[in-house]
Amino acid sequence: MILLCIEKSSWFNLETLSNLSNVIIAFLTLILGFYVFVYQKNKDNKSDEETEINRRKNIKLQWFKEIIIQPKIDLVFKFYDQINSIKNKINGNDLNDDEKIEIINFIKKEQSTLRKSFLDLIQHINNDLHSELSLNVDKLTDNLTDVISNDEFKLKNEVTYNREIKSKVEYSYSEFLSKIFNYCG
């Protein structure tokens, strides 16, 4: 009889302990469920805000692409093609002052055309991008002007021309396009 009582008592304790652990697990599950609900709701609110910001940014980028880049990118290509064409204006290793002035004025005219037709539009979209692109074109113009003005360079020589003019034009061109196509708004 005592043995039966001890077994009943153990059984009762195990059953009580089992019920108590079920209650604790249910309570912890409820707390965890509430936490996940609140966390997910806050995350969704933040996600909605980020989605709206991204949507506005995408619209701005789409307008930038459709209004400025697509119709005006040919002006950028034309500018760099024209700058590359100065090779045809170099008739000898020693340019006289009139030839230098003509080439420099040509470069500045092309720069001015690009500035008025393309860069000024970008200024209204993003001033930083405009500054970077303008600085790129100004630096190229200054470099080319210095090279053309310098009598020490024998520009009819292919190696000298490639080093002093062509490589700088290509670098400027790739940087210009990179800044435009990596623009994120």
Side-chain angles (χ1 to χ4, degrees):
M1 179 94 182
I2 296 179
L3 190 58
L4 186 59
C5 225
I6 292 175
E7 283 182 19
K8 264 189 169 182
S9 176
S10 281
W11 170 286
F12 180 72
N13 286 339
L14 287 176
E15 188 177 327
T16 304
L17 189 59
S18 172
N19 289 339
L20 185 61
S21 20
N22 283 338
V23 169
I24 292 172
I25 290 171
F27 181 70
L28 292 175
T29 303
L30 184 64
I31 290 173
L32 182 63
F34 180 73
Y35 172 76
V36 168
F37 174 76
V38 170
Y39 174 77
Q40 188 64 40
K41 187 174 180 179
N42 288 338
K43 185 177 174 186
D44 288 346
N45 287 342
K46 288 179 184 178
S47 179
D48 290 345
E49 291 171 8
E50 290 172 1
T51 301
E52 181 62 23
I53 290 169
N54 287 335
R55 187 184 70 77
R56 288 182 183 167
K57 195 175 193 180
N58 287 339
I59 289 171
K60 185 177 178 181
L61 282 173
Q62 189 65 31
W63 279 104
F64 176 70
K65 177 183 164 192
E66 289 181 9
I67 292 176
I68 295 175
I69 300 302
Q70 285 179 342
K72 303 287 185 176
I73 194 69
D74 288 340
L75 298 170
V76 174
F77 299 146
K78 181 182 177 198
F79 168 75
Y80 283 99
D81 286 344
Q82 292 291 67
I83 295 300
N84 276 322
S85 76
I86 64 172
K87 182 176 185 176
N88 300 332
K89 298 179 183 298
I90 299 172
N91 297 323
N93 280 332
D94 297 320
L95 298 172
N96 65 40
D97 288 340
D98 290 338
E99 289 172 324
K100 290 177 187 178
I101 291 170
E102 180 185 335
I103 294 171
I104 291 170
N105 285 340
F106 176 77
I107 293 168
K108 289 182 178 181
K109 178 184 159 271
E110 292 301 320
Q111 175 198 25
S112 176
T113 301
L114 180 67
R115 185 176 297 282
K116 290 175 187 171
S117 61
F118 186 80
L119 292 175
D120 287 350
L121 293 173
I122 291 178
Q123 184 174 16
H124 300 292
I125 303 297
N126 186 301
N127 208 20
D128 291 337
L129 179 63
H130 172 265
S131 296
E132 290 174 9
L133 295 175
S134 293
L135 184 63
N136 180 328
V137 172
D138 291 345
K139 185 177 176 182
L140 175 64
T141 302
D142 291 345
N143 283 335
L144 296 179
T145 301
D146 290 343
V147 169
I148 299 296
S149 299
N150 193 335
D151 289 331
E152 293 178 14
F153 296 116
K154 306 299 180 196
L155 297 175
K156 196 65 176 169
N157 180 317
E158 192 74 23
V159 173
T160 304
Y161 178 83
N162 288 342
R163 181 185 67 235
E164 299 300 328
I165 293 178
K166 187 177 179 185
S167 65
K168 292 176 182 176
V169 172
E170 289 173 353
Y171 179 78
S172 171
Y173 181 59
S174 65
E175 284 294 309
F176 195 96
L177 292 179
S178 175
K179 288 183 188 318
I180 289 173
F181 293 117
N182 288 325
Y183 174 69
C184 295

